[in-house]
Amino acid sequence: MDKEQYQEYVKQVTPAHSTGLNVVRAFLTGGLICTAAQGISQFFQTAGGLEKESASAWTLLTLILISVILTGLNLYPSIVKFGGAGALVPITGFANSVASPAIEYQKEGQVFGIGCKIFTIAGPVILFGTLTSWVLGILYWLFQSM
């Protein structure tokens, strides 16, 4: 296979993406997740009688639980495939990124499977999120002291 044939083959097998359609799907998916979160929060405030801060904490826990259950039932990957960043950016996407490796590597055992692999995807997010917050905190402190 020469270079031109290979390039033609790559064009044939590479899926075409529509940026506009992807943006709309992400917006709709993220919007539905946020709307559901707002509904859950309102439920905890009205039916549960919780204050706003407590209802927010319970809402986060509920969203994480729903995400992990959907990941375990292999439904969340379909949501991500449709919604892209709209499903990956909220807390539900983070829960999915922790639960997926745990489910995938459970056959290797509690320690070497789940324990070693659970933060395979989420680990860099935690690391660089923490590092960025430290750097920004130091910059903020420096600018405030000037």
Side-chain angles (χ1 to χ4, degrees), residues 42-104:
Q42 291 297 323
F43 172 78
F44 283 133
Q45 288 180 39
T46 56
L50 297 176
E51 295 177 11
K52 187 175 182 177
E53 287 187 22
S54 296
S56 296
W58 280 102
T59 300
L60 287 174
L61 291 173
T62 304
L63 288 173
I64 291 168
L65 175 65
I66 291 169
S67 176
V68 169
I69 290 171
L70 290 175
T71 300
L73 295 174
N74 202 27
L75 296 173
Y76 204 84
S78 299
I79 297 169
V80 170
K81 187 175 181 181
F82 174 80
L88 290 175
V89 172
I91 190 78
T92 54
F94 186 75
N96 173 62
S97 72
V98 173
S100 292
I103 292 168
E104 182 178 348

Side-chain angles (χ1 to χ4, degrees), residues 10-18:
V10 169
K11 285 181 184 177
Q12 289 175 358
V13 297
T14 303
H17 296 285
S18 168

Side-chain angles (χ1 to χ4, degrees), residues 72-143:
L73 295 174
N74 202 27
L75 296 173
Y76 204 84
S78 299
I79 297 169
V80 170
K81 187 175 181 181
F82 174 80
L88 290 175
V89 172
I91 190 78
T92 54
F94 186 75
N96 173 62
S97 72
V98 173
S100 292
I103 292 168
E104 182 178 348
Y105 292 103
Q106 70 182 350
K107 62 186 171 286
E108 295 180 22
Q110 296 290 320
V111 175
F112 292 112
I114 296 172
C116 292
K117 301 290 186 175
I118 195 164
F119 290 112
T120 301
I121 298 171
V125 174
I126 296 169
L127 171 69
F128 290 112
T130 304
L131 179 66
T132 302
S133 68
W134 270 87
V135 170
L136 292 175
I138 290 170
L139 289 174
Y140 177 77
W141 177 74
L142 288 172
F143 284 125

